[in-house]
């Protein structure tokens, strides 16, 4: 019997095996060009690295041995291949690189371009082929108005062809802006530039008087989590796309308003939750420890209990083991944080959604934040917890999910959490509030609470030889 949390193995046995790398590297493109071996050799040699980790996604692992051998021939460095990543393949797997003592890492394939922690990283996206002439024709079909204000975005695998596309369109469309991959120098620059947008590893400059909200986005790439992330983050803009695989352009039909309503529903679920699980979805993105500490602080101020969970790549079976948790917060890169939690026993939300549920100073405006670094103190989207909580915020409100009254436990001072299952805390001089651990209450409600000793209640017996074999077929069981 197959359930959302287990299966009988039939699906695995009937699964069609697709050769790794099929359709990823075009057969007429050599490994030297596709994997940019010359640039990689210069990166290793110029910096004098002696141990380098090569991180490949599953679809490119078939070329990994060849690439490692070529690089070891061209450089004195030892190469280590990282196959199965700890979390999403778009993120830099810093933990696996540290296991081999790597001094640098070369990341191959699609990347979220999230800032990594200290370790020097070279991104090699893989030069996918793009029919520039057909892409320009599709753009002209979608935008007959030559004065249209458009921002051209692209998947990282097609970023190498954006300059050629710009040479075709800029003489015709004077108001078209082409995004470029942001360099480390531009990201570290503290001096603001008027109209410059730097987000998700891209940078482009728009007309400040016209406003970004009045631009249309044109995306070069296939449908996927990156495009969804762009559409939710810049939801005030209309989107069109060009699929290089099919050679067709189209207006995107994703109902952004419906997607935002779904996210707002998850915010209401987060407001109802009392026990929250903070799922660590990355160990390589910068400031992930800071946002975990930030979330613990706002959850404590909102009167919710928080538990930090490190389970690797989250799936329904893993998270179903934590039945006492009402909702999970996935701390991951922007592309992996928008995980569809339909099959999960409890929903998963983003740090932005959890902060919206806990912080009374943050109101739902329709804008959406997928990069958790923007929520930290000093960032552009940070809204501090109010210094004083009004009496209205302490009054119970009605849950939009259950229709029942829910009490709020907002506090402004980070008092230490009670250590016992029950503790009485004085809130003002007029009344006291009893804090009961939700996890302890859940344990009390369970019919099975673990093994019980029952000392003196059961007879003492000698140890005997048990059954032999494996669970699917013990030796004393009949065959068939």
């Amino acid at each position: 019997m197959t359930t959302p949390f287990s299966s009988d193995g039939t699906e695995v046995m009937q699964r069609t095996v697709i050769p790794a790398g099929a359709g990823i590297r075009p057969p007429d493109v050599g490994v030297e060009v596709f994997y940019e071996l010359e640039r990689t050799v210069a990166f290793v040699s110029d910096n004098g690295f002696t141990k380098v980790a090569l991180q490949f996604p599953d679809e490119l692992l078939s070329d990994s041995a060849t690439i490692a051998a070529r690089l070891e021939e061209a450089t004195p460095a030892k190469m280590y291949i990282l196959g199965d990543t700890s979390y999403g393949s778009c993120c830099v797997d810093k933990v696996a690189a540290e296991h081999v003592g790597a001094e640098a890492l070369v990341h191959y394939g699609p990347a979220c371009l999230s800032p990594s922690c200290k370790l020097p990283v070279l991104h090699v996206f893989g030069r996918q082929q793009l029919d520039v002439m057909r892409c320009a024709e599709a753009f002209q079909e979608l935008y007959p108005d030559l004065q249209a204000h458009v921002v051209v975005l692209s998947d990282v695998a097609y970023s190498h062809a954006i300059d050629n596309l710009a040479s075709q369109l800029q003489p015709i469309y004077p108001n078209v802006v082409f995004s470029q991959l942001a360099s480390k120098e531009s990201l570290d620059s503290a001096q603001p530039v008027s109209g410059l947008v730097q987000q998700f590893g891209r940078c482009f400059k728009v007309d400040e008087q016209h406003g970004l909200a009045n631009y249309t986005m044109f995306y070069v790439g296939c449908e996927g989590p990156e495009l969804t992330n762009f559409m939710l983050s810049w939801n005030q803009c209309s989107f069109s796309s060009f699929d290089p695989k099919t050679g067709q352009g189209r207006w995107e039909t994703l109902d952004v308003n419906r997607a935002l309503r779904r996210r707002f529903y998850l915010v209401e679920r987060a407001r109802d939750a009392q026990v929250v699980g903070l799922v660590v979805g990355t160990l390589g993105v910068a400031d992930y420890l800071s946002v975990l500490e930030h979330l613990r602080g706002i959850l404590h101020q909102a009167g919710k209990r928080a538990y930090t969970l490190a389970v690797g790549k989250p799936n329904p079976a893993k998270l179903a083991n934590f039945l006492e948790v009402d909702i999970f917060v996935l701390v991951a890169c922007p592309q992996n944080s928008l995980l569809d939690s339909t099959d999960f026993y409890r929903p998963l939300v983003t740090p932005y959604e959890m902060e919206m549920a806990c912080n009374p100073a943050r109101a739902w405006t329709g804008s959406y934040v997928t990069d958790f670094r923007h929520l930290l103190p000093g960032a552009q989207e940070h809204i501090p917890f109010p210094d004083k909580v009004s009496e209205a915020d302490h009054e119970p409100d009605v849950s939009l999910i259950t229709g029942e009254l829910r009490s709020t436990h907002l506090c402004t001072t980070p008092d230490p959490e009670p250590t016992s299952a029950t503790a009485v805390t004085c809130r003002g001089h007029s009344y006291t509030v009893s804090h009961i651990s939700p996890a302890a209450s859940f344990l009390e409600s369970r019919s099975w609470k673990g093994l019980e000793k029952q000392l003196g209640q059961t007879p003492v017996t000698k140890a005997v030889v048990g059954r032999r074999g494996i669970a699917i077929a013990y030796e004393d069981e009949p065959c068939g």
Side-chain angles (χ1 to χ4, degrees):
M1 178 179 179
T2 302
T3 69
F5 310 116
S6 65
S7 67
D8 55 6
T10 305
E11 180 186 355
V12 177
M13 292 184 288
Q14 296 178 353
R15 184 182 301 163
T16 302
V17 177
I18 301 176
I24 299 300
R25 179 173 64 87
D28 56 340
V29 179
V31 294
E32 295 85 357
V33 177
F34 187 83
Y35 292 102
E36 302 181 51
L37 292 184
E38 184 177 351
R39 186 165 72 98
T40 308
V41 169
F43 170 73
V44 176
S45 302
D46 294 346
N47 294 281
F49 298 128
T50 58
K51 286 185 178 181
V52 179
L54 308 178
Q55 180 180 338
F56 289 87
D58 294 342
E59 59 268 19
L60 295 179
L61 273 176
S62 58
D63 293 333
S64 60
T66 303
I67 300 303
R70 294 279 189 90
L71 292 176
E72 287 186 344
E73 291 176 359
T75 65
K78 178 68 175 177
M79 302 294 165
Y80 296 86
I81 299 174
L82 307 182
D84 186 25
T85 56
S86 303
Y87 298 98
S89 59
C90 65
C91 297
V92 174
D93 197 349
K94 179 179 73 73
V95 175
E98 289 179 347
H99 286 169
V100 297
E103 301 168 351
L105 184 144
V106 182
H107 183 281
Y108 293 95
C112 59
L113 299 179
S114 299
S116 58
C117 304
K118 296 183 180 180
L119 187 71
V121 178
L122 174 68
H123 285 284
V124 178
F125 307 117
R127 291 175 172 264
Q128 294 285 1
Q129 292 180 325
L130 176 65
D131 189 344
V132 176
M133 297 301 298
R134 176 62 195 129
C135 184
E137 292 175 0
F139 185 93
Q140 296 176 23
E141 295 171 1
L142 293 171
Y143 300 96
D145 183 9
L146 301 183
Q147 300 300 319
H149 289 73
V150 186
V151 175
V152 178
L153 304 167
S154 71
D155 186 287
V156 292
Y158 303 101
S159 59
H160 64 93
I162 290 299
D163 290 339
N164 293 336
L165 181 62
S167 64
Q168 296 289 330
L169 294 178
Q170 280 184 334
I172 307 174
Y173 294 87
N175 297 321
V176 173
V177 178
F178 291 84
S179 68
Q180 300 292 334
L181 298 181
S183 62
K184 187 178 185 301
E185 290 75 13
S186 63
L187 292 175
D188 294 340
S189 177
Q191 185 176 3
V193 180
S194 176
L196 182 65
V197 179
Q198 291 184 342
Q199 201 168 356
F200 309 122
R202 275 84 170 173
C203 64
F204 53 89
K205 188 176 181 180
V206 299
D207 185 355
E208 193 173 14
Q209 294 182 350
H210 192 74
L212 179 61
N214 297 316
Y215 276 79
T216 303
M217 301 293 186
F218 179 75
Y219 178 76
V220 180
C222 303
E223 184 178 358
E226 184 176 56
L227 177 58
T228 303
N229 177 39
F230 289 163
M231 294 182 69
L232 287 179
S233 301
W234 294 311
N235 55 67
Q236 72 275 19
C237 304
S238 300
F239 269 79
S240 61
S241 67
F242 174 77
D243 190 342
K245 302 294 184 183
T246 62
Q248 300 296 321
R250 68 174 186 180
W251 287 99
E252 286 300 325
T253 57
L254 173 67
D255 190 346
V256 176
N257 291 330
R258 182 178 180 181
L260 290 176
R261 288 196 298 269
R262 165 67 181 171
R263 308 312 300 190
F264 183 69
Y265 163 78
L266 294 177
V267 172
E268 285 297 313
R269 290 290 299 268
R271 288 194 174 107
D272 290 344
Q274 292 300 318
V275 182
V276 180
L278 303 178
V279 181
V280 181
T282 180
L283 296 178
V285 179
D287 297 325
Y288 80 96
L289 290 176
S290 300
V291 79
L292 284 173
E293 189 64 28
H294 175 69
L295 288 172
R296 293 190 195 101
I298 64 172
L299 287 170
H300 176 57
Q301 289 180 293
K304 301 180 186 295
R305 181 77 64 174
Y307 297 95
T308 304
L309 308 174
V311 295
K313 296 178 182 178
N315 59 48
K318 288 180 181 179
L319 299 187
N321 291 313
F322 307 98
L323 296 178
E324 65 272 20
V325 175
D326 298 324
I327 200 167
F328 296 95
V329 183
L330 181 58
V331 179
C333 71
Q335 291 189 26
N336 288 327
S337 61
L338 296 172
L339 187 64
D340 184 9
S341 59
T342 305
D343 295 333
F344 286 77
Y345 184 65
R346 292 285 189 264
L348 281 87
V349 299
T350 64
Y352 173 72
E353 292 162 353
M354 179 52 67
E355 180 170 319
M356 184 173 297
C358 298
N359 190 349
R362 185 180 290 277
W364 177 264
T365 61
S367 62
Y368 198 80
V369 180
T370 56
D371 191 342
F372 59 71
R373 296 180 301 114
H374 293 167
L375 305 175
L376 296 175
Q380 56 188 12
E381 297 292 341
H382 173 69
I383 297 180
F385 210 90
D387 296 332
K388 294 183 179 180
V389 180
S390 63
E391 292 296 331
D393 291 329
H394 282 302
E395 295 179 358
D397 64 340
V398 178
S399 169
L400 299 180
I401 305 299
T402 64
E404 300 176 353
L405 286 176
R406 60 187 176 197
S407 60
T408 58
H409 305 283
L410 299 177
C411 61
T412 56
T413 55
D415 297 330
E417 299 185 17
T419 56
S420 59
T422 61
V424 177
T425 303
C426 178
R427 184 172 294 177
H429 297 284
S430 58
Y431 57 91
T432 59
V433 179
S434 176
H435 290 275
I436 302 176
S437 171
S441 300
F442 179 82
L443 181 61
E444 289 295 329
S445 66
R446 298 186 66 171
S447 58
W448 189 79
K449 304 175 183 177
L451 297 178
E452 299 178 0
K453 297 180 180 180
Q454 297 183 347
L455 297 178
Q457 302 178 21
T458 55
V460 179
T461 59
K462 294 183 178 181
V464 297
V465 178
R467 308 175 76 179
R468 299 174 61 89
I470 59 177
I472 197 173
Y474 291 104
E475 293 180 357
D476 58 345
E477 291 182 339
C479 299

